Amino acid sequence: MKSGTFDSPRPGAGAISWQLAQTFWVGGLWLLQFVMLPAITQRTGLAPLLVEDIASSLRPLMVGLAAACAALQAMVLVRSQGVTSLWKDLRGQILVAVSALAALYLLADGLLPGYWTLFSYMAIAVLGLMLVIQPIPGTGRDV
């Protein structure tokens, strides 16, 4: 008698890369904004301006990581579904939007710091959550 555990196909390298990249950038964005920065504020008692200075130095790094991971995910999607998936598939559209917002964030960070950068950061984070609920390309569960 065969076990149901061993009958399921193993995920390929693309699916594993997709999940790992997604964990890094989506989890990292949310962890920084909603766990690390509030914890620094409450636990250390630093002045709000010091916490904002820490945030302003860490957010561009997280956005850069998000852009790099989104590029990796776009390559996995293109390899699995073809180049047209970047425009026709919701996952591709989300990844293109994340890349555009990351580029605008990094451009605006030097020119227009303030609300625009925070908006871009949060929009990237929300798009990441939208991407999390999408099926992983290359697993046979694509719609």
Side-chain angles (χ1 to χ4, degrees), residues 1 13 20 27 33 37-39 46-47 54 57 60-61 69 71 75 78 83 95 100-101 109 113 115 118 129 134 143:
M1 178 178 216
L20 189 60
Q33 186 67 29
L37 293 176
L46 290 176
I54 292 169
S57 64
L61 295 173
C69 289
M75 288 188 288
V78 165
V83 176
L95 291 170
L101 279 168
D109 190 36
Y115 292 113
L118 184 60
L129 285 183
Q134 302 301 315
V143 177

Side-chain angles (χ1 to χ4, degrees), residues 25 29 58-71 102 105-106 124:
W25 76 268
L29 287 171
L58 290 178
R59 282 187 188 127
L61 295 173
M62 287 308 305
V63 170
L65 178 67
C69 289
Y105 176 94
L106 295 172
I124 292 169

Side-chain angles (χ1 to χ4, degrees), residues 112-121:
L112 303 168
Y115 292 113
W116 173 251
T117 55
L118 184 60
F119 169 77
S120 298
Y121 184 91

Side-chain angles (χ1 to χ4, degrees), residues 37 40-41 45-57:
L37 293 176
I40 290 172
T41 303
L46 290 176
L49 285 176
L50 289 173
V51 174
E52 188 56 38
D53 192 40
I54 292 169
S56 67
S57 64

Side-chain angles (χ1 to χ4, degrees), residues 3 14 35-36 68 71 75 85 88 112 121 131 143:
S3 170
V35 176
M36 296 302 296
M75 288 188 288
S85 64
K88 294 181 180 179
L112 303 168
Y121 184 91
L131 190 62
V143 177

